[in-house]
Amino acid sequence: MSRGLLAMAPGESSSPAQAVLAGSLTDADVMLRVKSGDESAFQYLVEKYRRPMVNFMYRMAHNAAAAEDLAQEVFLRVYRSREGYEPSAKFTTWLYRIATNLAVNHARDTRNERPDRTVSLDEPDTETGQTMDVPDTSLSAEQAILRRERLEAIRKKVQALPERQRMAVVMHKYQRMDYRQIGEVLKLSESATKSLLFRAYETLREQLKEFV
């Protein structure tokens, strides 16, 4: 498959997109179309999930270029795995499992490398202009500095969490996934997922108490 398929222009119409809008297809149905050879179905999934994938990898790698490359690799793996795809779980669960495995491997491979560019948790999305923590324009210069220090401290502490805890926090806080969805991705029960997140947030709360 050509990587050009990953560069579908926003707004381009396709039959899967029209069917989804009409309420007749789920993402799993669309992926089954990919399995049967429908290239437009794959393009639809790339367009729908590219930005969430880049954002997820952005939070994991803290490197803009790496995030783009990793997101692209996710979709390449989706395409290469199409013939063996079975809708035994939600499409997003399968997608994030692929993304999680890639993120873990990338973290291990680059553990001793210095990132080309660190990303603040409040850095705006390049397409939407939105931030995870919208700045208050009424802040004084001193308050703005303290706020940035706090966000940088959070970023570092999240990055320092054990791998599974870090994955869970990123999916919960930044991808807005619920306990059940996170558990399906990490292959944990809902109660185990809650315990994992509880430990992660307790660690962050203790380490960041000077900023609270």
Side-chain angles (χ1 to χ4, degrees):
M1 182 204 58
S2 168
R3 284 178 179 248
L5 278 175
L6 301 181
M8 180 181 179
E12 184 175 336
S13 61
S14 66
S15 56
Q18 293 167 354
V20 169
L21 288 174
S24 60
L25 286 182
T26 64
D27 288 335
D29 293 329
V30 176
M31 187 61 206
L32 288 173
R33 284 198 177 192
V34 178
K35 181 178 181 177
S36 67
D38 187 342
E39 298 286 355
S40 67
F42 178 68
Q43 291 175 334
Y44 166 80
L45 291 173
V46 171
E47 182 179 334
K48 181 175 181 179
Y49 288 105
R50 180 184 173 278
R51 179 48 50 188
M53 279 295 103
V54 170
N55 286 341
F56 177 74
M57 292 303 187
Y58 210 53
R59 300 295 177 187
M60 297 306 303
H62 295 282
N63 180 300
E68 293 283 352
D69 289 344
L70 287 167
Q72 182 165 259
E73 182 63 26
V74 169
F75 290 110
L76 287 172
R77 292 194 180 192
V78 165
Y79 191 83
R80 289 168 185 159
S81 302
R82 66 193 184 282
E83 291 182 2
Y85 175 76
E86 295 296 338
S88 57
K90 287 182 64 177
F91 173 78
T92 50
T93 298
W94 183 66
L95 181 67
Y96 274 94
R97 280 180 185 163
I98 294 172
T100 296
N101 289 335
L102 272 173
V104 168
N105 291 339
H106 174 78
R108 290 172 179 168
D109 292 344
T110 61
R111 184 163 289 159
N112 297 320
E113 295 179 11
R114 184 176 179 179
D116 295 332
R117 179 188 173 204
T118 56
V119 180
S120 172
L121 293 180
D122 67 336
E123 182 165 332
D125 183 283
T126 54
E127 291 186 0
T128 66
Q130 296 178 337
T131 62
M132 296 306 301
D133 189 2
V134 180
D136 184 349
T137 55
S138 66
L139 293 179
S140 67
E142 182 179 1
Q143 288 172 324
I145 291 172
L146 289 173
R147 177 179 176 278
R148 184 159 292 277
E149 287 179 352
R150 174 179 176 272
L151 290 167
E152 178 64 12
I154 292 172
R155 184 192 68 78
K156 289 179 178 178
K157 295 303 182 184
V158 170
Q159 189 69 6
L161 287 171
E163 281 178 354
R164 286 169 76 83
Q165 290 186 20
R166 185 172 75 253
M167 296 284 183
V169 168
V170 170
M171 284 187 278
H172 185 247
K173 182 170 177 60
Y174 302 110
Q175 303 302 112
R176 306 302 188 197
M177 295 168 69
D178 61 29
Y179 295 126
R180 180 184 57 77
Q181 291 172 310
I182 296 168
E184 288 176 348
V185 171
L186 298 179
K187 298 183 178 179
L188 296 172
S189 67
E190 190 168 327
S191 61
T193 302
K194 290 179 180 178
S195 295
L196 185 70
L197 280 166
F198 177 80
R199 294 196 301 274
Y201 286 133
E202 280 296 296
T203 297
L204 293 174
R205 191 175 294 111
E206 177 63 26
Q207 294 181 348
L208 295 165
K209 58 186 177 183
E210 63 181 289
F211 292 99
V212 177

